[in-house]
Amino acid sequence: MIGLIRAEIVKVAGRKLWWVMTAILVVLLAGLAFVFTVLPNVSPEEFQGVAAITKPDAYLLGASQAIGQTWFPLVFAAVLLAGEASTSVWASSLTRESRRWMHLIAKLVVTTVASAGAMAVGIAAWSAVVAVLAEGQGGPGATEWVGVAWKTLLTQATWVGLGLGLVALFRNMGLAIGAALGFSVFDGILSIWDPWAEVSLSIASNRLFTDLVAAGGPFAPTIGMGFGQALVVIAGWTMAGLVLGIVGLEVRDP
């Protein structure tokens, strides 16, 4: 397994994909930080009395906004595996280690860490805007940032797992990305339906961060799901993605 993880690290490090997608994420989150913390003061008539988010709450709001960018882990995972599955790289890897689940776990681990690293860079960009432009004083302590770190890692693992599972099933990058983003959108829409709200990944992911952004005013989510239930839902969707990936790889490469 260690060898497979090292191989995945080399693959990810050797591609420009992470850098390009992370740059897009940085620009997006820095822009959102400006909108939430500065524009309400500059153009109050456009925001109809909504107050700008101030320090220290503005810092942790950035973490919530970052994990809401589910397109990043979904697309990142789908592109990485699709690039192999459509060439001879995957077949060559299987000749060295035929247990597909080990390949999938290695990809999940490395891609999750890489995606979480991108989220950290994005949160840093958000925080830089807040530090320079937002009103207020102070910032989160070490405990809050540790909470952000493990929650971000956990949510990225789930969305990465789903991305890997879908591309393993479809073996088509465009179709897999479309299905992944479609799931993300429809999961958010279906979350207003009470039965689906109990298992919604979007709700569960946001629930992890509600304690961090409780003071976020109109931008803070109102979620009825309990913290323990959110962890169970996230674990369930992670396993679903892995099972889908293993089944897809077994069916397509018997």
Side-chain angles (χ1 to χ4, degrees), residues 4-74:
L4 292 177
I5 290 176
R6 288 175 179 171
E8 293 302 322
I9 293 174
V10 171
K11 293 175 188 176
V12 172
R15 302 186 63 172
K16 297 179 181 179
L17 178 65
W18 186 89
W19 298 99
V20 173
M21 292 185 63
T22 300
I24 296 173
L25 183 70
V26 164
V27 173
L28 177 61
L29 288 175
L32 287 174
F34 184 81
V35 169
F36 284 164
T37 62
V38 178
L39 281 188
N41 292 331
V42 175
S43 304
E45 66 282 356
E46 299 295 333
F47 285 80
Q48 299 181 351
V50 175
I53 306 300
T54 59
K55 303 172 187 174
D57 300 322
Y59 287 105
L60 295 178
L61 179 63
S64 179
Q65 293 299 314
I67 64 101
Q69 309 303 317
T70 56
W71 59 270
F72 190 101
L74 288 169

Side-chain angles (χ1 to χ4, degrees), residues 185-199:
V185 171
F186 283 106
D187 178 64
I189 294 174
L190 288 174
S191 64
I192 64 176
W193 182 41
D194 288 342
W196 185 262
E198 296 297 317
V199 296

Side-chain angles (χ1 to χ4, degrees), residues 119-183:
M119 294 298 125
V121 175
I123 293 172
W126 172 291
S127 299
V129 173
V130 169
V132 175
L133 300 177
E135 298 179 352
Q137 298 180 12
T143 301
E144 286 82 3
W145 284 122
V146 169
V148 168
W150 76 262
K151 292 173 182 178
T152 299
L153 194 63
L154 186 62
T155 54
Q156 295 308 294
T158 306
W159 292 105
V160 164
L162 287 172
L164 291 175
L166 288 169
V167 77
L169 183 64
F170 293 118
R171 293 300 180 87
N172 180 284
M173 186 184 302
L175 186 57
I177 291 175
L181 295 179
F183 171 82

Side-chain angles (χ1 to χ4, degrees), residues 154-155 157-158 201 204 208 228-243:
L154 186 62
T155 54
T158 306
L201 179 55
L208 295 185
Q229 181 183 351
L231 292 177
V232 172
V233 170
I234 287 173
W237 280 111
T238 304
M239 290 302 300
L242 289 175
V243 170

Side-chain angles (χ1 to χ4, degrees), residues 206-231:
N206 287 328
R207 173 60 184 88
L208 295 185
F209 290 87
T210 53
D211 58 325
L212 299 178
V213 295
F219 303 109
T222 301
I223 297 174
M225 182 182 292
F227 190 82
Q229 181 183 351
L231 292 177

